[in-house]
Short mmCIF file of all heavy atoms in Angstrom, two decimals:
data_model
loop_
_atom_site.label_atom_id
_atom_site.label_comp_id
_atom_site.label_asym_id
_atom_site.label_seq_id
_atom_site.Cartn_x
_atom_site.Cartn_y
_atom_site.Cartn_z
N GLN A 104 -5.36 8.90 -9.51
CA GLN A 104 -4.78 9.91 -10.40
C GLN A 104 -4.73 11.27 -9.71
O GLN A 104 -3.76 12.01 -9.82
CB GLN A 104 -5.58 10.01 -11.71
CG GLN A 104 -5.44 8.83 -12.63
CD GLN A 104 -6.27 9.00 -13.89
OE1 GLN A 104 -6.52 10.12 -14.35
NE2 GLN A 104 -6.70 7.89 -14.46
N LEU A 120 -22.83 4.27 -8.23
CA LEU A 120 -24.24 4.55 -8.52
C LEU A 120 -25.14 3.40 -8.08
O LEU A 120 -26.26 3.61 -7.64
CB LEU A 120 -24.43 4.85 -10.02
CG LEU A 120 -25.83 5.21 -10.47
CD1 LEU A 120 -26.31 6.52 -9.82
CD2 LEU A 120 -25.89 5.33 -11.98
N MET A 138 -33.28 5.04 -31.17
CA MET A 138 -33.29 5.04 -32.63
C MET A 138 -34.30 4.06 -33.21
O MET A 138 -34.95 4.36 -34.21
CB MET A 138 -31.89 4.73 -33.17
CG MET A 138 -30.88 5.83 -32.88
SD MET A 138 -31.38 7.44 -33.53
CE MET A 138 -31.21 7.15 -35.28
N ILE A 169 -46.07 1.06 -50.47
CA ILE A 169 -45.49 -0.18 -51.02
C ILE A 169 -43.97 -0.16 -50.90
O ILE A 169 -43.35 -1.16 -50.50
CB ILE A 169 -45.93 -0.36 -52.49
CG1 ILE A 169 -47.44 -0.63 -52.56
CG2 ILE A 169 -45.13 -1.48 -53.18
CD1 ILE A 169 -48.02 -0.58 -53.96
#
Side-chain angles (χ1 to χ4, degrees):
Q104 289 180 29
L120 182 63
M138 292 304 290
I169 292 170

